[in-house]
Amino acid sequence: MIGFDLSEEQTALQDMAHKFAANEIRPKAAECDKEGKFPKEIFQKAFDLGLMTGFIPEAYGGLGLGAVEACLIEEELGWGCSGITTSLTCNGLALTPILLAGTEEQKKEFVVPFTREFMFASFCLTEPGAGSDAGGIATTAKKDGDVYLLNGRKCFITNGSYASQYTVFASTDRSKGHKGLSAFIVPRSLPGVSPGKKEDKMGQRASDTADVLFEDVRVPAANLLGKEGDGFKIAMMTLDYARPTVAAMAVGVARAAFELAMQYSKERVQFGMPIAMNQAIHFLLADMAMDIEAARLLTLKGAWLLDQGRRSTKESSFAKAFAADLAMRVTTDAVQIFGGYGYMKDYPVEKLMRDAKLLQIYEGTSQIQRLVIAKEVMMR
Ligand code: CAA
């Protein structure tokens, strides 16, 4: 059985997210971009509407939405502003490891509070020396009685400055490489946890990206997710869930650029006619529309597999690579259609182009997605 129509509930969620993007996000996006401002008031409103807790099962106080619904919402929010969306939806990335690998007690203690109170959690995988090579983590967690002593520095952490809880990947046995990695829930309140340098980024400037430092942090052994050595798989399984949502955000960014470029091409008169009358512009717009649709379908397929409880590693990477690369292409072509004006900050498309670049880098670069895809198609 196959169908492409959305249910009434899905359409309602999509409409709600679109209205939020149009009324709350878009009006503030340029100012947040210019000033690198983290718009807490927008996040608070999103929380009040349930936009930050949709992915959490009802049993733990969330809306219990599936991955398909999460992607429908994410596309609309990404259409509004991907910087704001990256921070708005980051709790999904940080809390999914607990939902996937946590015990009942851990879910109650470390997930439920995020449905009751507006706060942030961060996913701490990346380090200065371990980006694409996630198995090369140098942060250590040494067992000492009923605590682990956590030491290390994480970088490029979304919402790192504002999070009240971190999901941290650290090595409990460096001799074992990726098999020695373990995942921990680390409350910010523990002594020795401190956010560090905040990054000044090219794009997605409304999202917070910062270092997080861990110095002799005494993490209760009860905060270990799964068993020692499970960390790498927990991180990879989490990324299988997160990558379709990044892809959906990329579709939203591309759609925004396409709409602006199409509208401008009808208004801009050169050689006595709107530039939209030229076939050169038709071909650009047609490619944009076709690729946006293809990216959306790949995204929803990955999300649908996850909702069926099936592995989606290959499809999640298909979606992330295709959609992120497409967003870069479409936003670049949109700037081209706007010509000289497109390059100026007075017009909105240059922001979209800067924002799109990050989509090809975080949550696994476009090259890493191809590595994952190659492994999946060649070895399974
Ligand atoms: N699900 C379950 N298990 C998985 C898996 C998956 N999706 N992917 C891999 N594994 C398992 C493998 O089966 C293998 O198991 P065994 O050891 O039992 O054989 C093990 O994990 C190791 O797998 P690989 O040999 O494939 O590992 P690798 O070292 O070659 O690396 C990689 C794989 C795909 C390159 C991985 O390191 C990777 O995804 N890197 C990119 C990291 C990334 O995306 N970082 C983004 C950080 S988050 C972020 O950006 C958000 C933010 O806040 C900004």
Side-chain angles (χ1 to χ4, degrees), residues 90 93 123 125-126 131-135 156-158 178-179 209 232-233 236-237 239-240 243 311 313 361-365 368-369 371-372 375-376 380:
C90 175
L93 180 64
F123 180 81
L125 181 68
T126 305
S132 290
D133 180 12
F156 303 153
I157 302 306
T158 301
H178 74 263
K179 287 188 195 292
T209 307
F232 190 77
K233 283 193 185 170
M236 293 301 116
M237 285 160 61
L239 290 169
D240 286 351
R243 286 171 177 159
R311 186 161 170 169
T313 304
I361 295 172
Y362 63 15
E363 299 203 23
T365 63
I368 286 295
Q369 306 310 324
L371 263 185
V372 172
K375 265 196 186 171
E376 291 289 312
R380 278 183 207 283

